Amino acid sequence: MTKKEFREIIYLDHLINSKLRLLDNLKSSRLQVKGMQIKSDVVQVSKQGNKQEDLIIRILDLEKEITKDIDNLICEKKKAKTVIDKLDGPYKVIMTMRYLECMKWEEIAYRLDYSIQAVYKIHGQALKRVE
């Protein structure tokens, strides 16, 4: 796996999280949209009814996108795990934390009680070992 392929895992994780936030916002909006009135046995839909339908369609489409992205992320993480499992010691730990757990550099350094520079250095060495 190349450096670029590892980086794609992080980007994909960020993209999924961004889409999940957008989905939450859309779902919140759906709760605020009102458009149906029931009179007698006739259902009337106002112009807002179309907005609600459009919103529901957007939500469903976004959920499908997110599912597809998650499936892709799982596939990429499996590939990365196969490569990372060939490493040992701090190389394996840092690569696992970064690419399988998608931790930020600062969090990795904090958890391992390393300086951020040491984490960068070990990460660079690990990348050279797997390429």
Side-chain angles (χ1 to χ4, degrees), residues 69-116:
D69 289 342
I70 289 171
D71 289 344
N72 189 18
L73 180 61
I74 290 168
C75 181
E76 292 303 312
K77 282 187 174 186
K78 282 181 183 179
K79 290 179 196 175
K81 185 176 182 335
T82 301
V83 172
I84 291 169
D85 282 345
K86 295 176 184 173
L87 297 168
D88 59 354
Y91 305 109
K92 184 174 184 174
V93 174
I94 288 173
M95 294 291 281
T96 297
M97 293 172 91
R98 180 66 178 162
Y99 299 109
L100 302 182
E101 298 178 42
C102 294
M103 286 186 189
K104 294 182 179 183
W105 296 115
E106 296 80 7
E107 185 176 2
I108 295 169
Y110 175 78
R111 288 191 178 200
L112 297 177
D113 197 27
Y114 289 173
S115 70
I116 194 81

mmCIF file of all heavy atoms in Angstrom, residues 69-116:
data_model
loop_
_atom_site.group_PDB
_atom_site.id
_atom_site.type_symbol
_atom_site.label_atom_id
_atom_site.label_comp_id
_atom_site.label_asym_id
_atom_site.label_seq_id
_atom_site.Cartn_x
_atom_site.Cartn_y
_atom_site.Cartn_z
ATOM 1 N N ASP A 69 -19.974 4.570 0.998
ATOM 2 C CA ASP A 69 -18.681 5.051 1.490
ATOM 3 C C ASP A 69 -18.163 4.195 2.641
ATOM 4 O O ASP A 69 -16.967 3.908 2.718
ATOM 5 C CB ASP A 69 -18.785 6.512 1.944
ATOM 6 C CG ASP A 69 -18.964 7.487 0.788
ATOM 7 O OD1 ASP A 69 -18.669 7.119 -0.367
ATOM 8 O OD2 ASP A 69 -19.410 8.626 1.049
ATOM 9 N N ILE A 70 -19.049 3.784 3.534
ATOM 10 C CA ILE A 70 -18.644 2.940 4.665
ATOM 11 C C ILE A 70 -18.143 1.590 4.161
ATOM 12 O O ILE A 70 -17.129 1.071 4.637
ATOM 13 C CB ILE A 70 -19.793 2.787 5.682
ATOM 14 C CG1 ILE A 70 -20.022 4.114 6.420
ATOM 15 C CG2 ILE A 70 -19.493 1.664 6.679
ATOM 16 C CD1 ILE A 70 -21.261 4.148 7.287
ATOM 17 N N ASP A 71 -18.846 1.011 3.194
ATOM 18 C CA ASP A 71 -18.401 -0.264 2.611
ATOM 19 C C ASP A 71 -17.013 -0.118 2.000
ATOM 20 O O ASP A 71 -16.149 -0.979 2.171
ATOM 21 C CB ASP A 71 -19.392 -0.749 1.549
ATOM 22 C CG ASP A 71 -20.710 -1.230 2.135
ATOM 23 O OD1 ASP A 71 -20.773 -1.483 3.360
ATOM 24 O OD2 ASP A 71 -21.693 -1.345 1.365
ATOM 25 N N ASN A 72 -16.796 1.000 1.305
ATOM 26 C CA ASN A 72 -15.492 1.271 0.704
ATOM 27 C C ASN A 72 -14.423 1.440 1.780
ATOM 28 O O ASN A 72 -13.312 0.914 1.654
ATOM 29 C CB ASN A 72 -15.587 2.520 -0.179
ATOM 30 C CG ASN A 72 -14.356 2.750 -1.012
ATOM 31 O OD1 ASN A 72 -13.546 1.853 -1.223
ATOM 32 N ND2 ASN A 72 -14.207 3.963 -1.496
ATOM 33 N N LEU A 73 -14.759 2.161 2.846
ATOM 34 C CA LEU A 73 -13.805 2.367 3.940
ATOM 35 C C LEU A 73 -13.430 1.039 4.593
ATOM 36 O O LEU A 73 -12.256 0.784 4.879
ATOM 37 C CB LEU A 73 -14.389 3.327 4.985
ATOM 38 C CG LEU A 73 -13.495 3.635 6.187
ATOM 39 C CD1 LEU A 73 -12.192 4.293 5.756
ATOM 40 C CD2 LEU A 73 -14.239 4.520 7.181
ATOM 41 N N ILE A 74 -14.405 0.176 4.806
ATOM 42 C CA ILE A 74 -14.132 -1.138 5.398
ATOM 43 C C ILE A 74 -13.178 -1.930 4.516
ATOM 44 O O ILE A 74 -12.216 -2.533 5.003
ATOM 45 C CB ILE A 74 -15.451 -1.917 5.637
ATOM 46 C CG1 ILE A 74 -16.240 -1.265 6.771
ATOM 47 C CG2 ILE A 74 -15.173 -3.380 5.941
ATOM 48 C CD1 ILE A 74 -17.665 -1.769 6.909
ATOM 49 N N CYS A 75 -13.420 -1.894 3.226
ATOM 50 C CA CYS A 75 -12.550 -2.592 2.266
ATOM 51 C C CYS A 75 -11.122 -2.056 2.319
ATOM 52 O O CYS A 75 -10.154 -2.828 2.374
ATOM 53 C CB CYS A 75 -13.145 -2.464 0.870
ATOM 54 S SG CYS A 75 -12.203 -3.302 -0.413
ATOM 55 N N GLU A 76 -10.987 -0.740 2.342
ATOM 56 C CA GLU A 76 -9.659 -0.118 2.382
ATOM 57 C C GLU A 76 -8.949 -0.412 3.710
ATOM 58 O O GLU A 76 -7.735 -0.630 3.729
ATOM 59 C CB GLU A 76 -9.753 1.388 2.139
ATOM 60 C CG GLU A 76 -10.170 1.763 0.730
ATOM 61 C CD GLU A 76 -9.260 1.198 -0.337
ATOM 62 O OE1 GLU A 76 -8.018 1.317 -0.205
ATOM 63 O OE2 GLU A 76 -9.783 0.620 -1.311
ATOM 64 N N LYS A 77 -9.708 -0.416 4.791
ATOM 65 C CA LYS A 77 -9.099 -0.718 6.090
ATOM 66 C C LYS A 77 -8.637 -2.176 6.163
ATOM 67 O O LYS A 77 -7.626 -2.480 6.798
ATOM 68 C CB LYS A 77 -10.066 -0.404 7.235
ATOM 69 C CG LYS A 77 -10.144 1.069 7.554
ATOM 70 C CD LYS A 77 -10.976 1.312 8.798
ATOM 71 C CE LYS A 77 -10.960 2.754 9.218
ATOM 72 N NZ LYS A 77 -11.642 2.974 10.504
ATOM 73 N N LYS A 78 -9.356 -3.075 5.523
ATOM 74 C CA LYS A 78 -8.926 -4.482 5.481
ATOM 75 C C LYS A 78 -7.589 -4.602 4.754
ATOM 76 O O LYS A 78 -6.692 -5.313 5.206
ATOM 77 C CB LYS A 78 -9.975 -5.348 4.790
ATOM 78 C CG LYS A 78 -11.159 -5.679 5.655
ATOM 79 C CD LYS A 78 -12.150 -6.554 4.903
ATOM 80 C CE LYS A 78 -13.387 -6.824 5.746
ATOM 81 N NZ LYS A 78 -14.374 -7.644 5.021
ATOM 82 N N LYS A 79 -7.457 -3.879 3.630
ATOM 83 C CA LYS A 79 -6.197 -3.883 2.890
ATOM 84 C C LYS A 79 -5.073 -3.315 3.761
ATOM 85 O O LYS A 79 -3.973 -3.868 3.813
ATOM 86 C CB LYS A 79 -6.319 -3.040 1.615
ATOM 87 C CG LYS A 79 -7.191 -3.637 0.543
ATOM 88 C CD LYS A 79 -7.238 -2.664 -0.644
ATOM 89 C CE LYS A 79 -8.349 -2.974 -1.590
ATOM 90 N NZ LYS A 79 -8.470 -1.958 -2.665
ATOM 91 N N ALA A 80 -5.380 -2.206 4.421
ATOM 92 C CA ALA A 80 -4.377 -1.569 5.274
ATOM 93 C C ALA A 80 -3.971 -2.489 6.423
ATOM 94 O O ALA A 80 -2.783 -2.596 6.753
ATOM 95 C CB ALA A 80 -4.915 -0.249 5.819
ATOM 96 N N LYS A 81 -4.935 -3.169 7.013
ATOM 97 C CA LYS A 81 -4.634 -4.073 8.137
ATOM 98 C C LYS A 81 -3.689 -5.187 7.714
ATOM 99 O O LYS A 81 -2.771 -5.555 8.449
ATOM 100 C CB LYS A 81 -5.911 -4.653 8.724
ATOM 101 C CG LYS A 81 -5.652 -5.494 9.969
ATOM 102 C CD LYS A 81 -6.922 -5.974 10.594
ATOM 103 C CE LYS A 81 -6.741 -6.777 11.856
ATOM 104 N NZ LYS A 81 -5.508 -7.477 12.058
ATOM 105 N N THR A 82 -3.904 -5.718 6.529
ATOM 106 C CA THR A 82 -3.032 -6.768 6.011
ATOM 107 C C THR A 82 -1.588 -6.283 5.940
ATOM 108 O O THR A 82 -0.658 -7.004 6.303
ATOM 109 C CB THR A 82 -3.512 -7.225 4.607
ATOM 110 O OG1 THR A 82 -4.843 -7.708 4.721
ATOM 111 C CG2 THR A 82 -2.633 -8.311 4.042
ATOM 112 N N VAL A 83 -1.402 -5.047 5.496
ATOM 113 C CA VAL A 83 -0.068 -4.464 5.385
ATOM 114 C C VAL A 83 0.484 -4.124 6.771
ATOM 115 O O VAL A 83 1.635 -4.435 7.083
ATOM 116 C CB VAL A 83 -0.108 -3.208 4.482
ATOM 117 C CG1 VAL A 83 1.217 -2.477 4.493
ATOM 118 C CG2 VAL A 83 -0.501 -3.597 3.062
ATOM 119 N N ILE A 84 -0.329 -3.518 7.594
ATOM 120 C CA ILE A 84 0.106 -3.093 8.932
ATOM 121 C C ILE A 84 0.481 -4.288 9.801
ATOM 122 O O ILE A 84 1.418 -4.220 10.602
ATOM 123 C CB ILE A 84 -0.994 -2.233 9.601
ATOM 124 C CG1 ILE A 84 -1.108 -0.880 8.883
ATOM 125 C CG2 ILE A 84 -0.711 -2.027 11.086
ATOM 126 C CD1 ILE A 84 -2.326 -0.059 9.281
ATOM 127 N N ASP A 85 -0.217 -5.398 9.632
ATOM 128 C CA ASP A 85 0.073 -6.596 10.431
ATOM 129 C C ASP A 85 1.473 -7.152 10.187
ATOM 130 O O ASP A 85 1.977 -7.938 10.994
ATOM 131 C CB ASP A 85 -0.971 -7.687 10.170
ATOM 132 C CG ASP A 85 -2.273 -7.434 10.907
ATOM 133 O OD1 ASP A 85 -2.289 -6.588 11.831
ATOM 134 O OD2 ASP A 85 -3.283 -8.083 10.571
ATOM 135 N N LYS A 86 2.113 -6.731 9.109
ATOM 136 C CA LYS A 86 3.475 -7.177 8.821
ATOM 137 C C LYS A 86 4.513 -6.387 9.619
ATOM 138 O O LYS A 86 5.679 -6.780 9.686
ATOM 139 C CB LYS A 86 3.761 -7.061 7.328
ATOM 140 C CG LYS A 86 2.911 -7.986 6.489
ATOM 141 C CD LYS A 86 3.137 -7.775 5.016
ATOM 142 C CE LYS A 86 2.179 -8.663 4.224
ATOM 143 N NZ LYS A 86 2.232 -8.383 2.793
ATOM 144 N N LEU A 87 4.074 -5.281 10.209
ATOM 145 C CA LEU A 87 4.954 -4.451 11.023
ATOM 146 C C LEU A 87 4.974 -4.959 12.459
ATOM 147 O O LEU A 87 4.154 -5.785 12.849
ATOM 148 C CB LEU A 87 4.476 -2.997 10.998
ATOM 149 C CG LEU A 87 4.502 -2.296 9.648
ATOM 150 C CD1 LEU A 87 3.740 -0.975 9.718
ATOM 151 C CD2 LEU A 87 5.933 -2.084 9.182
ATOM 152 N N ASP A 88 5.901 -4.417 13.239
ATOM 153 C CA ASP A 88 5.926 -4.762 14.665
ATOM 154 C C ASP A 88 6.249 -3.515 15.479
ATOM 155 O O ASP A 88 6.564 -2.460 14.936
ATOM 156 C CB ASP A 88 6.942 -5.883 14.938
ATOM 157 C CG ASP A 88 8.358 -5.512 14.535
ATOM 158 O OD1 ASP A 88 8.569 -4.437 13.943
ATOM 159 O OD2 ASP A 88 9.286 -6.297 14.813
ATOM 160 N N GLY A 89 6.133 -3.677 16.794
ATOM 161 C CA GLY A 89 6.490 -2.607 17.715
ATOM 162 C C GLY A 89 5.731 -1.313 17.484
ATOM 163 O O GLY A 89 4.560 -1.326 17.091
ATOM 164 N N PRO A 90 6.424 -0.190 17.712
ATOM 165 C CA PRO A 90 5.750 1.105 17.592
ATOM 166 C C PRO A 90 5.277 1.401 16.168
ATOM 167 O O PRO A 90 4.333 2.160 15.976
ATOM 168 C CB PRO A 90 6.813 2.116 18.041
ATOM 169 C CG PRO A 90 8.108 1.415 17.937
ATOM 170 C CD PRO A 90 7.818 -0.045 18.117
ATOM 171 N N TYR A 91 5.919 0.796 15.179
ATOM 172 C CA TYR A 91 5.478 0.999 13.791
ATOM 173 C C TYR A 91 4.048 0.499 13.615
ATOM 174 O O TYR A 91 3.195 1.186 13.061
ATOM 175 C CB TYR A 91 6.396 0.259 12.806
ATOM 176 C CG TYR A 91 7.847 0.615 12.953
ATOM 177 C CD1 TYR A 91 8.761 -0.299 13.486
ATOM 178 C CD2 TYR A 91 8.321 1.866 12.566
ATOM 179 C CE1 TYR A 91 10.102 0.022 13.626
ATOM 180 C CE2 TYR A 91 9.665 2.201 12.708
ATOM 181 C CZ TYR A 91 10.540 1.274 13.241
ATOM 182 O OH TYR A 91 11.866 1.612 13.385
ATOM 183 N N LYS A 92 3.810 -0.689 14.105
ATOM 184 C CA LYS A 92 2.476 -1.292 13.994
ATOM 185 C C LYS A 92 1.457 -0.508 14.814
ATOM 186 O O LYS A 92 0.343 -0.248 14.355
ATOM 187 C CB LYS A 92 2.518 -2.748 14.455
ATOM 188 C CG LYS A 92 1.212 -3.475 14.279
ATOM 189 C CD LYS A 92 1.359 -4.956 14.625
ATOM 190 C CE LYS A 92 0.077 -5.705 14.346
ATOM 191 N NZ LYS A 92 0.256 -7.149 14.546
ATOM 192 N N VAL A 93 1.829 -0.118 16.011
ATOM 193 C CA VAL A 93 0.910 0.605 16.888
ATOM 194 C C VAL A 93 0.501 1.943 16.274
ATOM 195 O O VAL A 93 -0.692 2.272 16.200
ATOM 196 C CB VAL A 93 1.536 0.824 18.290
ATOM 197 C CG1 VAL A 93 0.650 1.707 19.146
ATOM 198 C CG2 VAL A 93 1.789 -0.511 18.977
ATOM 199 N N ILE A 94 1.461 2.700 15.808
ATOM 200 C CA ILE A 94 1.172 4.029 15.246
ATOM 201 C C ILE A 94 0.348 3.912 13.966
ATOM 202 O O ILE A 94 -0.624 4.648 13.774
ATOM 203 C CB ILE A 94 2.468 4.838 15.040
ATOM 204 C CG1 ILE A 94 2.988 5.271 16.417
ATOM 205 C CG2 ILE A 94 2.239 6.051 14.129
ATOM 206 C CD1 ILE A 94 4.339 5.932 16.404
ATOM 207 N N MET A 95 0.716 2.986 13.108
ATOM 208 C CA MET A 95 -0.037 2.804 11.861
ATOM 209 C C MET A 95 -1.473 2.337 12.144
ATOM 210 O O MET A 95 -2.414 2.767 11.484
ATOM 211 C CB MET A 95 0.680 1.806 10.944
ATOM 212 C CG MET A 95 2.029 2.302 10.439
ATOM 213 S SD MET A 95 1.925 3.678 9.280
ATOM 214 C CE MET A 95 1.497 2.804 7.786
ATOM 215 N N THR A 96 -1.629 1.480 13.137
ATOM 216 C CA THR A 96 -2.973 1.011 13.514
ATOM 217 C C THR A 96 -3.807 2.167 14.048
ATOM 218 O O THR A 96 -4.959 2.357 13.637
ATOM 219 C CB THR A 96 -2.881 -0.108 14.576
ATOM 220 O OG1 THR A 96 -2.192 -1.221 14.005
ATOM 221 C CG2 THR A 96 -4.264 -0.540 15.041
ATOM 222 N N MET A 97 -3.224 2.943 14.939
ATOM 223 C CA MET A 97 -3.958 4.066 15.522
ATOM 224 C C MET A 97 -4.341 5.090 14.458
ATOM 225 O O MET A 97 -5.443 5.628 14.479
ATOM 226 C CB MET A 97 -3.123 4.719 16.637
ATOM 227 C CG MET A 97 -2.934 3.823 17.836
ATOM 228 S SD MET A 97 -1.763 4.502 19.034
ATOM 229 C CE MET A 97 -2.885 5.415 20.077
ATOM 230 N N ARG A 98 -3.429 5.334 13.537
ATOM 231 C CA ARG A 98 -3.679 6.364 12.519
ATOM 232 C C ARG A 98 -4.669 5.900 11.445
ATOM 233 O O ARG A 98 -5.609 6.614 11.114
ATOM 234 C CB ARG A 98 -2.343 6.771 11.865
ATOM 235 C CG ARG A 98 -2.491 7.831 10.796
ATOM 236 C CD ARG A 98 -2.943 9.147 11.359
ATOM 237 N NE ARG A 98 -3.026 10.142 10.287
ATOM 238 C CZ ARG A 98 -3.699 11.254 10.376
ATOM 239 N NH1 ARG A 98 -4.323 11.564 11.480
ATOM 240 N NH2 ARG A 98 -3.735 12.084 9.368
ATOM 241 N N TYR A 99 -4.475 4.716 10.913
ATOM 242 C CA TYR A 99 -5.248 4.308 9.740
ATOM 243 C C TYR A 99 -6.398 3.352 10.011
ATOM 244 O O TYR A 99 -7.334 3.301 9.223
ATOM 245 C CB TYR A 99 -4.313 3.736 8.671
ATOM 246 C CG TYR A 99 -3.321 4.771 8.231
ATOM 247 C CD1 TYR A 99 -1.984 4.675 8.581
ATOM 248 C CD2 TYR A 99 -3.728 5.884 7.506
ATOM 249 C CE1 TYR A 99 -1.071 5.648 8.198
ATOM 250 C CE2 TYR A 99 -2.834 6.866 7.123
ATOM 251 C CZ TYR A 99 -1.499 6.745 7.477
ATOM 252 O OH TYR A 99 -0.615 7.719 7.110
ATOM 253 N N LEU A 100 -6.349 2.616 11.089
ATOM 254 C CA LEU A 100 -7.471 1.728 11.396
ATOM 255 C C LEU A 100 -8.425 2.358 12.398
ATOM 256 O O LEU A 100 -9.622 2.125 12.354
ATOM 257 C CB LEU A 100 -6.969 0.369 11.899
ATOM 258 C CG LEU A 100 -6.044 -0.380 10.921
ATOM 259 C CD1 LEU A 100 -5.652 -1.731 11.483
ATOM 260 C CD2 LEU A 100 -6.668 -0.516 9.540
ATOM 261 N N GLU A 101 -7.873 3.183 13.303
ATOM 262 C CA GLU A 101 -8.708 3.883 14.278
ATOM 263 C C GLU A 101 -8.930 5.345 13.881
ATOM 264 O O GLU A 101 -9.711 6.051 14.522
ATOM 265 C CB GLU A 101 -8.074 3.817 15.665
ATOM 266 C CG GLU A 101 -7.932 2.380 16.187
ATOM 267 C CD GLU A 101 -7.254 2.332 17.544
ATOM 268 O OE1 GLU A 101 -7.569 3.180 18.400
ATOM 269 O OE2 GLU A 101 -6.398 1.445 17.731
ATOM 270 N N CYS A 102 -8.229 5.797 12.861
ATOM 271 C CA CYS A 102 -8.334 7.173 12.331
ATOM 272 C C CYS A 102 -8.133 8.246 13.405
ATOM 273 O O CYS A 102 -8.852 9.246 13.459
ATOM 274 C CB CYS A 102 -9.657 7.375 11.583
ATOM 275 S SG CYS A 102 -9.775 6.382 10.091
ATOM 276 N N MET A 103 -7.143 8.032 14.245
ATOM 277 C CA MET A 103 -6.822 9.010 15.286
ATOM 278 C C MET A 103 -6.008 10.156 14.702
ATOM 279 O O MET A 103 -5.281 9.989 13.737
ATOM 280 C CB MET A 103 -6.000 8.351 16.398
ATOM 281 C CG MET A 103 -6.765 7.454 17.291
ATOM 282 S SD MET A 103 -5.670 6.935 18.634
ATOM 283 C CE MET A 103 -6.690 5.693 19.388
ATOM 284 N N LYS A 104 -6.119 11.297 15.348
ATOM 285 C CA LYS A 104 -5.312 12.459 14.972
ATOM 286 C C LYS A 104 -3.903 12.265 15.528
ATOM 287 O O LYS A 104 -3.696 11.553 16.510
ATOM 288 C CB LYS A 104 -5.930 13.741 15.536
ATOM 289 C CG LYS A 104 -7.266 14.056 14.909
ATOM 290 C CD LYS A 104 -7.834 15.343 15.447
ATOM 291 C CE LYS A 104 -9.160 15.629 14.776
ATOM 292 N NZ LYS A 104 -9.738 16.886 15.194
ATOM 293 N N TRP A 105 -2.954 12.933 14.893
ATOM 294 C CA TRP A 105 -1.559 12.814 15.312
ATOM 295 C C TRP A 105 -1.364 13.167 16.786
ATOM 296 O O TRP A 105 -0.646 12.478 17.512
ATOM 297 C CB TRP A 105 -0.669 13.714 14.448
ATOM 298 C CG TRP A 105 -0.635 13.318 13.009
ATOM 299 C CD1 TRP A 105 -1.110 14.045 11.954
ATOM 300 C CD2 TRP A 105 -0.120 12.108 12.457
ATOM 301 N NE1 TRP A 105 -0.914 13.360 10.792
ATOM 302 C CE2 TRP A 105 -0.296 12.161 11.068
ATOM 303 C CE3 TRP A 105 0.486 10.981 13.010
ATOM 304 C CZ2 TRP A 105 0.093 11.139 10.210
ATOM 305 C CZ3 TRP A 105 0.875 9.957 12.159
ATOM 306 C CH2 TRP A 105 0.683 10.033 10.788
ATOM 307 N N GLU A 106 -2.014 14.241 17.199
ATOM 308 C CA GLU A 106 -1.855 14.696 18.589
ATOM 309 C C GLU A 106 -2.365 13.648 19.582
ATOM 310 O O GLU A 106 -1.772 13.451 20.641
ATOM 311 C CB GLU A 106 -2.607 16.017 18.792
ATOM 312 C CG GLU A 106 -2.080 17.178 17.984
ATOM 313 C CD GLU A 106 -2.552 17.194 16.520
ATOM 314 O OE1 GLU A 106 -3.411 16.377 16.142
ATOM 315 O OE2 GLU A 106 -2.036 18.027 15.758
ATOM 316 N N GLU A 107 -3.450 13.003 19.226
ATOM 317 C CA GLU A 107 -4.002 11.981 20.120
ATOM 318 C C GLU A 107 -3.076 10.768 20.209
ATOM 319 O O GLU A 107 -2.882 10.203 21.283
ATOM 320 C CB GLU A 107 -5.391 11.556 19.626
ATOM 321 C CG GLU A 107 -6.086 10.596 20.568
ATOM 322 C CD GLU A 107 -7.494 10.238 20.134
ATOM 323 O OE1 GLU A 107 -7.956 10.701 19.078
ATOM 324 O OE2 GLU A 107 -8.121 9.459 20.876
ATOM 325 N N ILE A 108 -2.498 10.391 19.074
ATOM 326 C CA ILE A 108 -1.551 9.269 19.078
ATOM 327 C C ILE A 108 -0.368 9.597 19.972
ATOM 328 O O ILE A 108 0.026 8.786 20.827
ATOM 329 C CB ILE A 108 -1.079 8.947 17.639
ATOM 330 C CG1 ILE A 108 -2.255 8.444 16.793
ATOM 331 C CG2 ILE A 108 0.057 7.925 17.656
ATOM 332 C CD1 ILE A 108 -1.966 8.360 15.303
ATOM 333 N N ALA A 109 0.188 10.791 19.803
ATOM 334 C CA ALA A 109 1.333 11.209 20.615
ATOM 335 C C ALA A 109 0.975 11.211 22.100
ATOM 336 O O ALA A 109 1.741 10.710 22.935
ATOM 337 C CB ALA A 109 1.817 12.594 20.178
ATOM 338 N N TYR A 110 -0.180 11.742 22.422
ATOM 339 C CA TYR A 110 -0.616 11.810 23.818
ATOM 340 C C TYR A 110 -0.766 10.403 24.410
ATOM 341 O O TYR A 110 -0.266 10.122 25.500
ATOM 342 C CB TYR A 110 -1.935 12.580 23.912
ATOM 343 C CG TYR A 110 -2.518 12.600 25.299
ATOM 344 C CD1 TYR A 110 -2.013 13.453 26.277
ATOM 345 C CD2 TYR A 110 -3.574 11.750 25.643
ATOM 346 C CE1 TYR A 110 -2.535 13.472 27.558
ATOM 347 C CE2 TYR A 110 -4.099 11.754 26.919
ATOM 348 C CZ TYR A 110 -3.578 12.612 27.884
ATOM 349 O OH TYR A 110 -4.098 12.611 29.156
ATOM 350 N N ARG A 111 -1.457 9.533 23.694
ATOM 351 C CA ARG A 111 -1.714 8.179 24.215
ATOM 352 C C ARG A 111 -0.443 7.363 24.382
ATOM 353 O O ARG A 111 -0.358 6.533 25.272
ATOM 354 C CB ARG A 111 -2.690 7.443 23.317
ATOM 355 C CG ARG A 111 -4.099 7.965 23.440
ATOM 356 C CD ARG A 111 -5.053 7.052 22.753
ATOM 357 N NE ARG A 111 -6.419 7.530 22.922
ATOM 358 C CZ ARG A 111 -7.469 6.769 22.769
ATOM 359 N NH1 ARG A 111 -7.334 5.506 22.458
ATOM 360 N NH2 ARG A 111 -8.667 7.266 22.934
ATOM 361 N N LEU A 112 0.507 7.578 23.492
ATOM 362 C CA LEU A 112 1.755 6.813 23.565
ATOM 363 C C LEU A 112 2.822 7.520 24.385
ATOM 364 O O LEU A 112 3.907 6.974 24.600
ATOM 365 C CB LEU A 112 2.281 6.536 22.150
ATOM 366 C CG LEU A 112 1.385 5.676 21.263
ATOM 367 C CD1 LEU A 112 1.998 5.535 19.876
ATOM 368 C CD2 LEU A 112 1.142 4.310 21.893
ATOM 369 N N ASP A 113 2.527 8.738 24.810
ATOM 370 C CA ASP A 113 3.475 9.563 25.557
ATOM 371 C C ASP A 113 4.759 9.794 24.749
ATOM 372 O O ASP A 113 5.861 9.691 25.258
ATOM 373 C CB ASP A 113 3.794 8.930 26.919
ATOM 374 C CG ASP A 113 4.424 9.931 27.881
ATOM 375 O OD1 ASP A 113 4.160 11.145 27.731
ATOM 376 O OD2 ASP A 113 5.199 9.504 28.765
ATOM 377 N N TYR A 114 4.552 10.076 23.451
ATOM 378 C CA TYR A 114 5.643 10.424 22.545
ATOM 379 C C TYR A 114 5.474 11.880 22.161
ATOM 380 O O TYR A 114 4.367 12.419 22.205
ATOM 381 C CB TYR A 114 5.573 9.616 21.242
ATOM 382 C CG TYR A 114 5.908 8.146 21.329
ATOM 383 C CD1 TYR A 114 5.714 7.335 20.213
ATOM 384 C CD2 TYR A 114 6.418 7.548 22.470
ATOM 385 C CE1 TYR A 114 6.009 5.978 20.238
ATOM 386 C CE2 TYR A 114 6.720 6.195 22.511
ATOM 387 C CZ TYR A 114 6.517 5.424 21.391
ATOM 388 O OH TYR A 114 6.811 4.086 21.422
ATOM 389 N N SER A 115 6.553 12.478 21.714
ATOM 390 C CA SER A 115 6.416 13.814 21.129
ATOM 391 C C SER A 115 5.776 13.652 19.754
ATOM 392 O O SER A 115 5.847 12.585 19.140
ATOM 393 C CB SER A 115 7.781 14.487 20.993
ATOM 394 O OG SER A 115 8.536 13.841 19.981
ATOM 395 N N ILE A 116 5.179 14.722 19.268
ATOM 396 C CA ILE A 116 4.557 14.669 17.944
ATOM 397 C C ILE A 116 5.622 14.402 16.878
ATOM 398 O O ILE A 116 5.385 13.671 15.911
ATOM 399 C CB ILE A 116 3.740 15.958 17.658
ATOM 400 C CG1 ILE A 116 2.818 15.773 16.458
ATOM 401 C CG2 ILE A 116 4.623 17.142 17.434
ATOM 402 C CD1 ILE A 116 1.550 15.065 16.752
#
